[in-house]
Amino acid sequence: MKIVSIVGARPQFIKAAAVSRVLRKTQGVREVLVHTGQHYDANMSEVFFEELEIPRPDYNLGIGSATHGAQTGRMLEAIEEVLFKEKPDWVLVYGDTNSTLAGALAAVKLHILVAHIEAGLRSFNRCMPEEINRVLTDHASDVLFAPTQTAVENLRREGISEERIHLVGDVMYDAALYYGKKAERQSQILNRLELRPKEYILATIHRAENTDDPQRLCAIFEGFAEVAQEIKVVLPLHPRTRAALVQTGLYDKVVRNISLIEPVGYLDMVMLEKNARLIATDSGGVQKEAFFYRVPCLTLREETEWVELVDLGWNRVIPPTSKERVSAGIRESLQASGGLDGYPYGDGKAAEKIIKSIASSEK
Ligand code: UD1
Ligand code: UDP
């Protein structure tokens, strides 16, 4: 059985690493890895292949950055070409990026079976490009691997038939368990940045709704800068956010207070997360990782897809509408203790369940 896996953006390299490891140990299945090239900077792409033991992509389509339509369209055409050539039995797509949608669409039009990993997530906010990608990918896919019970219920509500839905847990939890230990052994980031455990806040911001709205961007970064006078704020800066900060003239203003660093590799990121006193983010993956390492999290968005984190009390969601709201949110979260314990993301064997299910499927 031949499986084509489509990846392209940072979180997909991490998810694919967890699945690929199992896939390549399974007899009778062969993976062809396709990188769309959506992310291309060395610290947004190459670093993950180096440290996560992911095999080199068989194809790098080199699509790069563009508007949504142009980027997705170019991917669609290039992926189709690969599928014509490879004729796989299955296409695997991950998450909710433009690479995900292009992969699912290219495959379903060629009547190739599509499996969506991390299916059923919903923010119910159709202004988010990711929400459109999720809904369309789920409805185009043959098999939906849901990470949570909430995701299963979302899919059921949309009329997706029961036999297509598989609750398997979250492959990011698999990755956190496996690489968490490796990070402890290998990462030197705390020494390099002279950070002491639980004496800093880790922040990441990259969501379009925050970077592309100057008022929100300003509220977030000025809020961080204010808090940074009391506790260090370390922020690996996504290239999209760097560009927005430079364009709005905010970069020079905040760089004095916030420890802005280049995006880091996954092992360094895990170490930064594990040892943070608080994580403030708009990332989907980082919200969950905060919980995996039992670090309180503040999500700077209107809503979250990962509602279990809020229910368990490990995550608070605050729309970053003003600097005061952001700084007050952080101060309150710093005072709050952790939440309840729970395991809503499976048992760390999501990848095994996914590959077992695909490998045993009828062609
Ligand atoms: C994408 C995903 C988002 C995901 C995020 C993970 C979509 C619609 N969005 O957002 O869901 O959370 O990846 O990080 O697919 N850039 C570089 N170098 C790079 C990559 C990007 O400079 O290697 C800059 C470019 O200016 C580009 C911008 O970042 O225009 C945005 O990149 P893009 O891949 O379009 O979206 P992300 O914001 O990264
Ligand atoms: N991440 C990383 N280095 C960084 C920032 C994030 O390795 O500098 C990892 C993070 O640990 C998580 C994933 O990237 O596993 C999340 O990706 P991102 O926030 O870009 O996207 P999202 O999850 O919001 O789609």
Side-chain angles (χ1 to χ4, degrees):
M1 175 181 280
K2 191 193 274 187
I3 300 177
V4 164
S5 303
I6 312 275
V7 295
R10 175 166 68 187
Q12 291 166 333
F13 308 138
I14 295 154
K15 293 167 198 175
V19 176
S20 246
R21 210 177 43 253
V22 176
L23 198 161
R24 287 175 191 244
K25 282 194 298 207
T26 308
Q27 278 206 335
V29 288
R30 184 161 84 76
E31 179 176 46
V32 175
L33 189 60
V34 178
H35 185 332
T36 63
Q38 178 170 349
H39 286 175
Y40 44 86
D41 289 348
N43 58 20
M44 295 292 289
S45 171
E46 179 77 19
V47 65
F48 299 99
F49 289 86
E50 277 165 12
E51 60 176 30
L52 303 186
E53 307 143 59
I54 322 172
R56 297 279 136 184
D58 298 279
Y59 296 85
N60 191 327
L61 307 178
I63 303 299
S65 306
T67 57
H68 286 282
Q71 188 183 53
T72 313
R74 284 173 201 151
M75 287 175 187
L76 189 55
E77 191 174 357
I79 294 169
E80 186 180 59
E81 223 171 278
V82 173
L83 298 182
F84 276 138
K85 199 165 145 217
E86 294 290 342
K87 300 187 176 44
D89 302 295
W90 281 90
V91 166
L92 282 191
V93 294
Y94 293 87
D96 54 16
T97 73
N98 289 346
S99 299
T100 317
L101 177 60
L105 205 47
V108 72
K109 293 252 184 179
L110 296 179
H111 307 150
I112 299 168
L113 293 168
V114 184
H116 184 202
I117 296 177
E118 207 180 81
L121 272 287
R122 295 291 182 267
S123 64
F124 304 101
N125 174 356
R126 288 174 70 91
C127 294
M128 284 180 81
E130 292 86 356
E131 184 74 355
I132 307 300
N133 291 342
R134 290 176 196 131
V135 172
L136 297 178
T137 301
D138 282 340
H139 285 261
S141 297
D142 297 280
V143 173
L144 299 142
F145 291 114
T148 61
Q149 187 58 41
T150 312
V152 170
E153 279 151 28
N154 289 337
L155 293 170
R156 279 185 187 145
R157 255 201 313 274
E158 290 175 19
I160 290 182
S161 59
E162 208 60 43
E163 66 274 11
R164 284 164 63 200
I165 308 172
H166 300 259
L167 176 61
V168 290
D170 188 350
V171 294
M172 288 195 82
Y173 184 45
D174 298 15
L177 292 177
Y178 183 79
Y179 295 107
K181 291 184 204 123
K182 205 172 169 196
E184 296 274 358
R185 292 194 298 271
Q186 289 189 12
S187 171
Q188 296 299 322
I189 189 115
L190 297 189
N191 286 341
R192 190 150 59 75
L193 300 180
E194 296 178 359
L195 294 172
R196 285 217 289 264
K198 305 297 163 191
E199 291 191 3
Y200 64 92
I201 294 171
L202 175 67
T204 78
I205 294 294
H206 76 278
R207 242 348 106 211
E209 74 216 40
N210 287 333
T211 60
D212 297 4
D213 176 341
Q215 208 186 322
R216 278 187 179 236
L217 189 72
C218 190
I220 292 169
F221 278 83
E222 290 190 346
F224 286 166
E226 195 183 300
V227 173
Q229 292 170 5
E230 294 147 39
I231 174 165
K232 196 160 184 160
V233 177
V234 178
L235 193 151
L237 194 55
H238 190 290
R240 173 188 204 108
T241 317
R242 175 182 291 276
L245 287 175
V246 170
Q247 204 188 358
T248 50
L250 270 167
Y251 188 89
D252 291 334
K253 251 170 120 179
V254 298
V255 74
R256 284 190 292 273
N257 297 310
I258 306 172
S259 300
L260 297 177
I261 58 172
E262 289 297 311
V264 294
Y266 183 62
L267 300 182
D268 283 345
M269 187 64 182
V270 165
M271 265 324 255
L272 287 173
E273 289 172 340
K274 277 188 164 189
N275 290 284
R277 165 124 177 246
L278 174 75
I279 292 177
T281 190
D282 61 6
S283 158
V286 175
Q287 283 175 61
K288 280 179 296 167
E289 286 164 357
F291 170 71
F292 298 154
Y293 303 124
R294 300 299 190 263
V295 174
C297 183
L298 176 69
T299 296
L300 294 165
R301 283 182 46 191
E302 293 290 327
E303 70 281 304
T304 180
E305 302 77 25
W306 303 102
V307 290
E308 310 76 23
L309 302 173
V310 177
D311 295 343
L312 288 170
W314 285 95
N315 194 359
R316 297 170 62 235
V317 180
I318 294 204
T321 47
S322 70
K323 160 183 152 182
E324 291 73 24
R325 208 155 178 209
V326 171
S327 56
I330 293 176
R331 288 201 180 95
E332 282 159 26
S333 291
L334 281 170
Q335 298 314 318
S337 55
L340 302 171
D341 215 359
Y343 294 88
Y345 300 107
D347 57 4
K349 293 191 164 57
E352 281 173 35
K353 290 175 191 154
I354 288 168
I355 296 305
K356 201 169 162 200
S357 158
I358 291 178
S360 65
S361 65
E362 298 271 328
K363 262 187 57 187

